[in-house]
């Protein structure tokens, strides 16, 4: 019985191997554009007060993937911008009344698996920096601009389109520590974006 099971497993492996070989992972250089939704949440340092806002986000990205059969690894960079602005409620007694999010950049690594010919799933992680502006209701003279650094992680699906084109849909979560002032504690962003790229 054990011999039959071993032979069956070997036969299944031989059948599966060509199928995996056909699912070649993407490789090479690519550039593209992204657009979608961004939600930003800001929390005071003691966690007692928070504020949030929604906005559109759009930008450009570029990277390089190394194909390893049906797996791939790569590096990626992105520049994007959004217009999210949070206002703290009256119960917040900090030095600032709210926070505006501007441009951000990201550089990191990703790895994925070709699930079927032309469709791959991937995860990503890396460093991100968010251009922020803390503001008060009393006027722009008291506004404070800064960059908040943090960690981004996420994942998505990418689909090969006709010719060198490829599309993707992706979710990202980013955490930024102490934007502008210790009174804020932390900021987070949630993004859902779609993208269209060209692979060389």
């Amino acid at each position: 019985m054990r011999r039959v099971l071993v032979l069956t497993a070997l036969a299944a492996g031989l059948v599966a191997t060509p199928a995996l070989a056909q699912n070649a992972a993407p490789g090479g250089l690519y550039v593209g554009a992204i657009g979608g939704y961004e939600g930003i949440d800001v929390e005071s340092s003691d966690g007692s007060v928070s504020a949030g806002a929604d906005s559109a986000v759009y930008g450009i990205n570029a990277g390089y993937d190394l194909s390893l059969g049906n797996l791939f690894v790569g590096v990626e960079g992105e520049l994007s911008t959004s217009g999210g602005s949070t206002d703290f409620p009256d119960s917040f007694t900090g030095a600032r009344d709210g926070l505006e999010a501007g441009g951000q950049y990201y550089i990191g690594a990703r790895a994925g698996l070709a699930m079927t010919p032309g469709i791959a799933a991937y995860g990503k992680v890396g460093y991100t920096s968010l251009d922020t502006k803390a503001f008060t209701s009393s006027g722009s003279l008291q506004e404070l601009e800064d960059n908040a650094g943090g960690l981004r992680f996420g994942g998505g699906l990418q689909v090969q389109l006709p010719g060198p084109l490829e599309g993707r849909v992706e979710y990202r979560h980013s955490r930024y520590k102490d934007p502008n002032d210790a009174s804020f504690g932390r900021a987070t962003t949630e993004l859902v974006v779609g993208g269209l790229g060209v692979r060389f």
Side-chain angles (χ1 to χ4, degrees):
M1 183 64 179
R2 180 178 298 176
R3 182 176 300 176
V4 173
L5 292 175
V6 171
L7 291 175
T8 302
L10 289 174
L14 290 173
V15 171
T17 299
L20 288 174
Q22 293 176 2
N23 298 341
L29 178 69
Y30 64 88
V31 296
I34 61 101
Y37 161 84
E38 177 183 79
I40 180 171
D41 290 290
V42 186
E43 186 177 277
S44 59
S45 58
D46 61 3
S48 61
V49 181
S50 62
D54 303 322
S55 69
V57 61
Y58 53 91
I60 56 174
N61 62 358
Y64 180 85
D65 292 324
L66 177 63
S67 179
L68 303 171
N70 66 319
L71 303 174
F72 70 91
V73 294
V75 293
E76 183 177 58
E78 181 182 296
L79 292 172
S80 62
T81 188
S82 65
S85 178
T86 65
D87 293 306
F88 281 108
D90 294 337
S91 59
F92 180 61
T93 58
R96 307 291 170 181
D97 295 338
L99 191 76
E100 292 179 356
Q104 53 189 300
Y105 70 84
Y106 163 83
I107 184 167
R110 68 183 203 139
L113 168 70
M115 301 187 300
T116 67
I119 301 178
Y122 61 89
K124 63 191 299 180
V125 63
Y127 173 81
T128 180
S129 180
L130 178 67
D131 180 21
T132 62
K133 179 188 290 185
F135 60 86
T136 66
S137 57
S138 59
S140 61
L141 291 179
Q142 298 187 52
E143 291 179 350
L144 176 65
E145 295 189 34
D146 200 0
N147 288 323
L151 178 69
R152 173 184 292 179
F153 57 89
L157 291 174
Q158 64 186 50
V159 180
Q160 183 179 347
L161 301 175
L165 298 178
E166 63 181 23
R168 67 169 66 180
V169 60
E170 185 176 298
Y171 165 79
R172 307 97 164 266
H173 175 83
S174 302
R175 298 176 65 90
Y176 306 92
K177 185 178 180 181
D178 295 332
N180 299 292
D181 191 297
S183 61
F184 279 106
R186 66 181 179 88
T188 61
T189 57
E190 309 279 348
L191 294 92
V192 179
V193 301
L196 181 65
V198 178
R199 189 171 291 272
F200 301 93

